[in-house]
């Protein structure tokens, strides 16, 4: 059995660590949020009072944090990961960050003689809970087998994307495609309903036709069609709008730096910006269906219950 330090025990980190504990591993976790720590402790995580305490004697150090700035913050400084890591540890970041931050952590780790792998995930909160996440790995080839071993209890599939930062490059491109697919499900679902199609029947048709996608299968934005839809729960977040906006923004930044035009991703960004401007950044990203109807009267959405 292995020993892990885990920095970031939120919506993804909490269930991921629970799967590690269930597999018999030791996990020492750290998070600034007391509620997140309490929930992780119920899953068997040993809560540490600092990053340094979490890292004492461990083999692998995982970070799962909202943004690049948070990853940089926990790596840097006298209280950070770099200050307390040894060359025997494997450092793994599963956050979704910008390419520049990923390269910075790779380069900073190498300069200190430390081993680092970027390993972002796809599959959302449900995949984290089920232990079926897809991991995309970037880093030195000789580290991939070891990283895959540490990841195995949380993963349905682990794929080596390539060298340093290729994991996060794959994640950025994949999430961009996800949000574009989400726009298709949002528009298709609302048009079908206005045309008089039974929502469940149309979903079944799309499921065996060319309209099928992961977003359509998992986030379909109509209530009482699929169990995993946020529309069943007044669009309580399974993937927050502000985080979706962050991710699609990473893709747009990458497109600008590489000279690739991304008009569909731009539309997705605009949808999320519209919700955020209305104070709905903490609601599920599939609430973009609200932007499609003139009176915003979307089934499954009750703004009074959300306040």
């Amino acid at each position: 059995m292995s020993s892990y330090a885990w920095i970031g025990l939120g919506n993804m980190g909490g269930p991921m660590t629970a799967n590690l504990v269930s597999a018999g591993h030791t996990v020492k976790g750290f998070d600034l949020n007391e509620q997140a720590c309490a929930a992780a402790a119920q899953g068997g995580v040993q809560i540490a009072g600092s990053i340094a305490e979490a890292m004492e004697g461990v083999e692998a150090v995982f970070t799962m944090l909202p943004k690049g700035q948070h990853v940089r913050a926990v790596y840097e400084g006298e209280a950070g990961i770099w200050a307390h890591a040894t060359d025997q540890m494997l450092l793994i970041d599963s956050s979704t960050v910008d390419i520049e931050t990923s390269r910075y952590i790779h380069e900073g780790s190498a300069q200190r003689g430390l081993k680092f792998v970027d390993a972002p995930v796809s599959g959302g909160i449900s995949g984290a809970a089920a232990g079926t996440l897809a991991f995309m790995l970037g880093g030195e080839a000789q580290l991939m087998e070891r990283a895959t071993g540490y990841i195995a209890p949380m993963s349905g599939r682990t794929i080596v994307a390539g060298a340093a930062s290729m994991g996060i490059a794959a994640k950025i491109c994949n999430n961009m495609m996800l949000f574009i697919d989400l726009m298709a499900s949002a528009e298709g679902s609302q048009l079908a309903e206005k045309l008089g199609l039974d929502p469940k029947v149309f979903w079944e048709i799309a499921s065996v036709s060319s309209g099928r996608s992961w977003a359509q299968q998992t986030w379909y934005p109509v209530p009482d069609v699929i169990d995993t839809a946020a529309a069943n729960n007044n669009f309580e977040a399974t993937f927050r709008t502000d985080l979706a906006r962050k991710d699609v923004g990473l893709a747009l930044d990458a497109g600008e730096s590489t000279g690739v035009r991304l008009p569909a991703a731009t539309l997705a960004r605009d949808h999320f910006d519209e919700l955020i401007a209305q104070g709905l950044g903490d609601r599920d990203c599939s609430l973009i269906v609200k932007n499609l109807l003139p009176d915003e009267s979307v089934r499954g959405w009750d703004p009074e219950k959300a306040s």
Side-chain angles (χ1 to χ4, degrees), residues 165-232:
S165 300
M166 289 300 98
I168 197 62
K171 176 61 188 294
I172 288 171
C173 295
N174 179 76
N175 272 26
M176 179 188 73
M177 294 168 67
L178 165 64
F179 298 129
I180 293 169
D181 287 343
L182 177 61
M183 288 197 301
S185 287
E187 293 183 15
S189 67
Q190 299 308 301
L191 180 59
E193 193 155 344
K194 291 298 183 183
L195 290 173
L197 281 159
D198 179 275
K200 181 69 172 180
V201 170
F202 176 67
W203 181 85
E204 291 174 349
I205 291 169
S207 295
V208 295
S209 303
S210 52
R212 181 185 174 99
S213 70
W214 189 93
Q216 174 264 338
Q217 288 288 291
T218 311
W219 288 353
Y220 200 66
V222 177
D224 305 319
V225 175
I226 55 173
D227 292 340
T228 52
N232 298 328

Side-chain angles (χ1 to χ4, degrees), residues 28-75:
K28 295 189 291 183
F30 175 77
D31 197 296
L32 296 176
N33 186 298
E34 293 183 1
Q35 290 181 329
C37 289
Q42 290 183 341
V45 176
Q46 301 173 19
I47 302 303
S50 65
I51 291 172
E53 183 182 339
M55 291 177 62
E56 288 179 5
V58 303
E59 302 164 44
V61 180
F62 276 79
T63 42
M64 175 56 92
L65 297 161
K67 297 181 180 180
Q69 66 199 58
H70 303 122
V71 175
R72 288 176 183 249
V74 300
Y75 266 86

Side-chain angles (χ1 to χ4, degrees), residues 269-300:
R269 177 200 64 193
D270 293 346
H271 267 305
F272 298 142
D273 281 344
E274 187 171 342
L275 291 182
I276 291 169
Q278 297 170 24
L280 299 172
D282 61 344
R283 309 306 289 192
D284 193 77
C285 59
S286 63
L287 188 55
I288 60 171
V289 290
K290 193 175 75 67
N291 300 340
L292 305 178
L293 302 178
D295 60 358
E296 300 185 346
S297 57
V298 174
R299 285 202 308 114

Side-chain angles (χ1 to χ4, degrees), residues 90-91 102 106 115-120 136-145 147 159-168:
L90 183 59
L91 312 179
S102 179
H106 270 286
K115 303 174 180 67
F116 175 76
V117 171
D118 59 286
M136 297 151 258
L137 275 56
E140 296 180 8
Q142 62 267 31
L143 299 178
M144 295 300 107
E145 183 176 356
I159 301 173
V160 177
S165 300
M166 289 300 98
I168 197 62

Side-chain angles (χ1 to χ4, degrees), residues 144-155:
M144 295 300 107
E145 183 176 356
R146 184 179 173 192
T148 300
Y150 291 133
I151 286 166
M154 304 175 284
S155 174

